Amino acid sequence: MLKVKHVIVCGHYGCSGVQAALGGKRIGLSDNWLRHVSGCARKTLNPCWREFRTGPSRLAKLCELNVIEQVVNVAQTTIMREARERGQELTVHGWIYGLKDGFLP
Ligand SMILES: [Zn+2]
């Protein structure tokens, strides 16, 4: 209705929500959006993800993967589908923010 043209999904490195999901902890409402994180973690078991299996780089990579998953989730909502069916110009962007340095790669 508002003719929004861009939707930005912005995650951040060091996300405690992603970390909690990895540890199987429930944190409330965000659980609905984070339930795909464990699926992301499984993807990192692929041999080409070897360097990201442990340590801080794993969490960073999972934060990035989570943004990608959430972009897909947003793109599949009925709101987005109906907008596309109306021919509305609409793009979903995935961003990730560095809390330590303010960098937005
Ligand atoms: Zn977070």
Side-chain angles (χ1 to χ4, degrees):
M1 269 189 157
L2 296 175
K3 307 295 181 206
V4 170
K5 291 185 178 175
H6 300 274
V7 175
I8 297 169
V9 176
C10 186
H12 66 92
Y13 291 113
C15 181
S16 58
V18 172
Q19 202 157 22
L22 278 178
K25 295 178 188 161
R26 300 186 71 174
I27 54 174
L29 193 60
S30 304
D31 290 336
N32 295 309
W33 289 99
L34 292 170
R35 66 193 158 90
H36 299 282
V37 176
S38 54
C40 291
R42 276 194 297 279
K43 287 176 189 172
T44 63
L45 296 176
N46 186 302
C48 63
W49 287 81
R50 194 179 314 265
E51 65 182 296
F52 301 112
R53 283 191 191 162
T54 58
S57 63
R58 182 177 194 224
L59 179 60
K61 193 50 70 179
L62 284 170
C63 288
E64 294 171 355
L65 278 173
N66 185 47
V67 170
I68 294 168
E69 291 281 330
Q70 304 303 349
V71 165
V72 171
N73 289 339
V74 168
Q76 291 176 339
T77 60
T78 53
I79 294 167
M80 298 293 284
R81 224 177 313 146
E82 287 168 7
R84 282 192 299 271
E85 286 167 7
R86 286 193 303 269
Q88 188 175 330
E89 183 187 325
L90 188 54
T91 306
V92 183
H93 305 267
W95 292 2
I96 189 152
Y97 182 71
L99 294 175
K100 283 183 186 167
D101 55 14
F103 190 56
L104 195 62

